[in-house]
Amino acid sequence: MSAPYAKLPGWVDYGVIPVVNLIVAFLVAGLVVLLVGESPIRAAALLFEGAFGYGEGIGFTLYYATNFIFTGLAVAVAFHCGLFNIGGEGQAYVAGLGVAVPCLWLDSSMPWYVVFVVVIFGSSLMGALWALIPGWLQAKRGSHVVITTIMFNFIASSLMVYLLVDVLKPRGSMSPETRTFVEGGQLPKLDWLFGPLGIDIGGSPLNLSFLLALVVSFIVWLIVWRTQFGYQIRTMGFSPSAARYAGMKEARIVVLTMMMSGALAGMMAINPIMGEQHRMQLDFVGGAGFVGIAVALMGRSHPVGIIPAAILFGMLYQGGAEISFEMPQISRDMIVIIQGLVILFAGAMEHMFRPAITRFFTYLGGGRKPQPAAATE
Amino acid sequence: MSDIAIELKGIDKSFGPVHANRDINLEVRKGTIHGIIGENGAGKSTLMSILYGFYQADRGDILVDGKKTGITGPSVAIARGIGMVHQHFMLVENFTVLENIMLGAEEGQILNAGITRARAELKRLEEEYALEVDPDAIIEELPVGLQQRVEILKALYRGADILILDEPTGVLTPAEADHLFRILAQLKEQGKTIILITHKLREIMAITDEVSVMRRGEMVATRKTAETSVEELAELMVGRRVLLGVEKGKANPGEVMLSVRNLTVRDSRGVPMVKDVSLDVRAGEIVGIAGVAGNGQSELLQAIAGIRRAEKGEVALSGSPVEVTGEADPNELRHRGLAHVPEDRHHMGLVLKFEEAENSILGYHDDPHYLKSLFLDIEAIRADASQKAERYDIRPRDVRLKTANFSGGNQQKIVLAREMERDPSVIIIGQPTRGVDVGAIEFIHKRIIEMRDAGKAILLVSVELDEIRALSDRVLVMFDGRVVGERSPETSEGELGLLMAGVTDREAAE
């Protein structure tokens, strides 16, 4: 028996259903706010106001979104190959070296745009190398990437603590971080871009990495949907047996996809290190690698979905900070609950409302002839 | 008491916009064998699933023994005396026959009393219906024919008076199928009512009393079997006249294009599936491999196509050797003129979630014709796919439609178009018409014959003996991994059937 899901128009599939899921997630989150004894309406107002109500808020929202675009793309590319890379966190962390080391080396001798190019290569290379080992183990040894990438997150964490405490920390400093980069290691902010639009991003750290994220999204789309390699990735993801039938080199595709995924996660490190702090700190990734999983799920693993999903999570981060500031009963953990609900409804239970929505649209388009081709066997 | 065992009145069922059953009326007389026939996707299985309680009808009534009955689940169906033998057996493979029969009817936490009762009851059933089977045999060690018998016993054990059999002969040898029909005839004599779902016209003619034909979700006709003919039923199924036989001229075999020598292949568990097989296929001939599914045909095809590593043996394509025991490369074989229509189009031949156009380049995605510098030339790929759709009459004509939304026949045409339009010299084809509707079968058979007449060497594997006999110029029979005999396609079905069942070459000929 084929699944009783009928085909829906694209805009319903990719537009209406995610929005319905999201609304339900927020309604349930509102109930939680109510339980804590606060007004969900005021919380919602604070959330939107904090994220989009003023220039600096928008700046912060997009700054967080930049991180999530990179990590979301990383997870999505691996998804297309049927791989679940949950090591974005570790890959981005290690890729911090690919950002910090060139900055420390070149910041006083080179202009920022030269360092930027080096850093793009450096971060993606480090991320790719950190994902190469789990990818290779999966392809050649059958060790599941879910397990190996999680373990590599821990290894990355320990490695970076060691490097930041014992190697990269300037002599005499008490905090585990590199020295602050001078001009050559600082990316320009985007006030020149948003200023003319009437948005004053103020003190927010929104920087050039945001544009890099948009360009990379387009490149990911090109690679996955418009190249032979992308075709092979998607064939592998949908049907490994069809890939074998077609004579594709499975092991090679798995390794290369994991490297591409790692490279994307790695580029995330540019944003906080070269864009905001101008130094590498302990735990600068801050969970963005995991949020990327939710972003990829919500964005249906397509750049066009990932960008809005990343902005949504950016909004939750930024607006959530405002809520916890204004409503002391609601801690930052509340935001984690909302995120969890979004993941639950948009990811794990994304088909929950599909039958009802399908029935509704069938009812609307009642005159249309059913397709006998899709009838059950 | 009426003499109608089951009556369906105005059954209607939709899945979203798909109207699987519309206003179905059906009467099944007590103590008869009632056939339900129709193409794949005609709605037969949906209708039976409604009767057995898997689905609820949107509208309509089910009357069992003249009483309106709401069948809300299989357990209700069983309580009303309806039993079902599924196409894919619902047996626990590592349980014994007895354990499987008791499953779900254990009568309490302590099994001992239940086992004793079940054993006695099973013995009575076996005697009453002459359905012999060892109650302590492990299911996975039994041949499929016996496994099916266990399914039937399971239904009888639960007190079924009405038995539904869904495509029961798909996995059986002709001899096993004959045996099944004898069992069904006997059950009928004992007063049971049997509903037989099939797409094989011959079976309908051989065993049923009445036959109902479904087409596109509708019940188009009910006939007394004695008063109808194969031609009429085929026409009712498809909605137009169908040529049942395949017309073909004499073959003109040329040079040997594909030669296989002493090929041995193991499956993933290490069990040898192909044992020391040698065969030749010449240009301009079709060599058919007959055999019951699971006797090594799949592994043979996969090894030749470079998908599965062979343990030993040699394969030569157009006279030059092919790597089959090491790292074989299906891609290289394609470039050397080997086309492969795989047995399992859902998992190998197609990526169901791809658009048709994307599937039309599977395996040929490195062809420079589809590339524009670094990128895929989407325009060229779609144009190429629409041309193929035109030539192979693939419907609907929308190369951007997801492949899963095409019917089985049209999916198969997508694969055939991709593989045959490349002008290969050797074509290996597995199950060309499995799950394909009658109209498309005719088309596919014609294409295969055309390819032969164009001088291609064709190796054909099918579990449909009729198909093998209709298309092949030579028939090889595989049993237990070996080629056990070669026959001409005119050889009687009985003789081929014996070979397929493992009777030795000489005995079969006698």
Side-chain angles (χ1 to χ4, degrees), chain A residues 255-339:
Chain A
V255 171
L256 287 176
T257 306
M258 278 305 285
M259 289 182 73
M260 184 172 157
S261 175
L264 288 164
M267 279 190 261
M268 173 265 160
I270 302 173
N271 192 35
I273 296 178
M274 199 179 168
E276 192 205 1
Q277 295 289 331
H278 309 138
R279 65 189 158 204
M280 180 161 71
Q281 295 173 303
L282 209 60
D283 282 330
F284 69 86
V285 184
F290 296 116
V291 176
I293 298 168
V295 168
L297 277 174
M298 253 211 94
R300 299 286 196 101
S301 297
H302 193 291
V304 171
I306 286 171
I307 294 170
I311 293 175
L312 175 85
F313 276 90
M315 176 190 94
L316 290 177
Y317 260 59
Q318 165 57 15
E322 302 261 337
I323 296 181
S324 53
F325 184 73
E326 296 280 334
M327 296 177 162
Q329 285 98 321
I330 296 180
S331 68
R332 265 208 91 108
D333 294 332
M334 184 68 205
I335 300 311
V336 179
I337 293 180
I338 298 180
Q339 283 168 16

Side-chain angles (χ1 to χ4, degrees), chain A residues 66-79:
Chain A
T66 308
N67 290 342
F68 304 150
I69 292 175
F70 283 121
T71 53
L73 290 172
V75 175
V77 165
F79 267 160

